[in-house]
């Protein structure tokens, strides 16, 4: 199966802080199970720099910690991720948990306090609506 994978989970330094969220052994395990990985970073695809000001979802908007509305960049990145999924034949994605782009089931609550709420990131919503199965760094082993 072809799977979109958040590039930060693969060790690419595209996280908002300039670091990564590398999950040791994840890529190797997925490839050993016969999957083809297609890297994706919706935030970068949306035009945001690395590093960048942290952002969280507030309802339908995505707001940076400094108050800027970055919803349009997140929507642009989600559209690019969906296009990439269609072009490459991906039917699933392994995305970064809790992210305003990639979170599935839980995201940060918009107060920048570290509290989480039920919800999905912008990209996750778009990919789910298109029928992709979504996993994260805690649940990807279901694909093995």
């Amino acid at each position: 199966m072809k799977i979109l994978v958040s590039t930060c989970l693969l060790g690419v330094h595209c996280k908002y802080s300039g670091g990564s969220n590398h999950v040791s052994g994840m890529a190797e395990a997925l490839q050993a199970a016969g999957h083809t990985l297609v890297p994706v970073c919706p935030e970068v695809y949306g035009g945001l720099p690395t590093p960048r000001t942290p952002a969280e979802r507030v309802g339908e908007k995505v707001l940076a910690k400094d108050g800027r509305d970055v919803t349009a960049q997140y929507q642009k990145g989600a559209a690019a991720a969906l296009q990439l999924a269609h072009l490459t034949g991906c039917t699933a994605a392994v995305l970064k948990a809790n992210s305003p782009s990639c979170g599935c089931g839980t995201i940060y609550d918009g107060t920048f306090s570290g509290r989480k709420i039920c919800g999905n990131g912008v990209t996750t919503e778009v990919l789910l609506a298109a029928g992709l199965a979504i996993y994260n760094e805690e649940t990807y082993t279901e694909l093995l």
Side-chain angles (χ1 to χ4, degrees), residues 5-6 27 53 74-75 84 111 134:
V5 180
S6 291
T53 305
Y74 278 73
Q75 291 170 336
L84 181 61
T111 65
I134 308 295

Side-chain angles (χ1 to χ4, degrees), residues 8-34:
C8 66
L9 298 178
L10 298 173
V12 175
H13 293 260
C14 59
K15 182 178 170 180
Y16 75 91
S17 64
S20 78
N21 294 302
H22 184 248
V23 177
S24 182
M26 182 186 73
E28 295 80 6
L30 289 168
Q31 289 170 326

